[in-house]
Amino acid sequence: VQVVESGGGSVQSGGSLRLSCVVSGDIYVDYCMGWFRQDPGKGRALVARIDRDGSAKYADSVKGRFTISQDSATKTLFLQMNNLNPEDTNMYYCVTDLCPVSSYYSESELRAAYWGQGTQVTVSS
């Protein structure tokens, strides 16, 4: 299984970016996908995910600004990020895992799911 993110970059505060994630290879029949970010010294925390029923869940800090969507036919996940602020600066990781995707992965739990290499988002004030 290969997970590849794209779409990161550098923007000014208030700007927008759209991240994409493509999954290739044989994955779980009952799989879900999500976006995470990781602060230094911590595990990976949920930004947004799509559950089995198609509903979206968001971290409180991004509600109303970020929108997650998915094209199941092509196993592609998107994250539209609007009104970005410097606190959103981070590496963003895409994950595919058995449903439901967890809200947090510690370092020791990362190997249980399929992750991309991450895409950097930098927001300047």
Side-chain angles (χ1 to χ4, degrees), residues 1-4 22-27 96 114-116:
V1 175
Q2 189 173 22
V3 180
V4 180
V22 179
V23 176
S24 59
D26 294 329
I27 57 176
T96 182
Y114 294 105
W115 297 89

Side-chain angles (χ1 to χ4, degrees), residues 38-44 104-112:
Q38 185 171 15
D39 292 329
K42 298 185 178 181
R44 292 182 184 172
Y104 182 84
Y105 288 82
S106 65
E107 286 287 345
S108 63
E109 293 170 328
L110 295 180
R111 67 175 69 91

Side-chain angles (χ1 to χ4, degrees), residues 1-104:
V1 175
Q2 189 173 22
V3 180
V4 180
E5 305 100 333
S6 62
S10 297
V11 297
Q12 290 191 324
S13 186
S16 298
L17 286 171
R18 187 179 192 232
L19 306 184
S20 299
C21 167
V22 179
V23 176
S24 59
D26 294 329
I27 57 176
Y28 309 119
V29 173
D30 185 24
Y31 77 95
C32 287
M33 299 178 71
W35 290 98
F36 285 70
R37 56 193 183 191
Q38 185 171 15
D39 292 329
K42 298 185 178 181
R44 292 182 184 172
L46 178 73
V47 175
R49 74 181 194 213
I50 295 182
D51 287 342
R52 187 187 292 109
D53 63 0
S55 62
K57 301 290 190 294
Y58 298 92
D60 288 342
S61 61
V62 307
K63 283 180 181 177
R65 301 187 298 122
F66 291 12
T67 303
I68 190 172
S69 60
Q70 179 175 327
D71 183 340
S72 298
T74 60
K75 290 183 285 187
T76 304
L77 188 71
F78 304 97
L79 185 68
Q80 178 66 43
M81 304 187 295
N82 297 328
N83 194 21
L84 285 160
N85 59 62
E87 288 71 38
D88 295 316
T89 294
N90 214 316
M91 187 76 81
Y92 285 72
Y93 297 92
C94 177
V95 68
T96 182
D97 198 359
L98 287 169
C99 298
V101 170
S102 177
S103 295
Y104 182 84

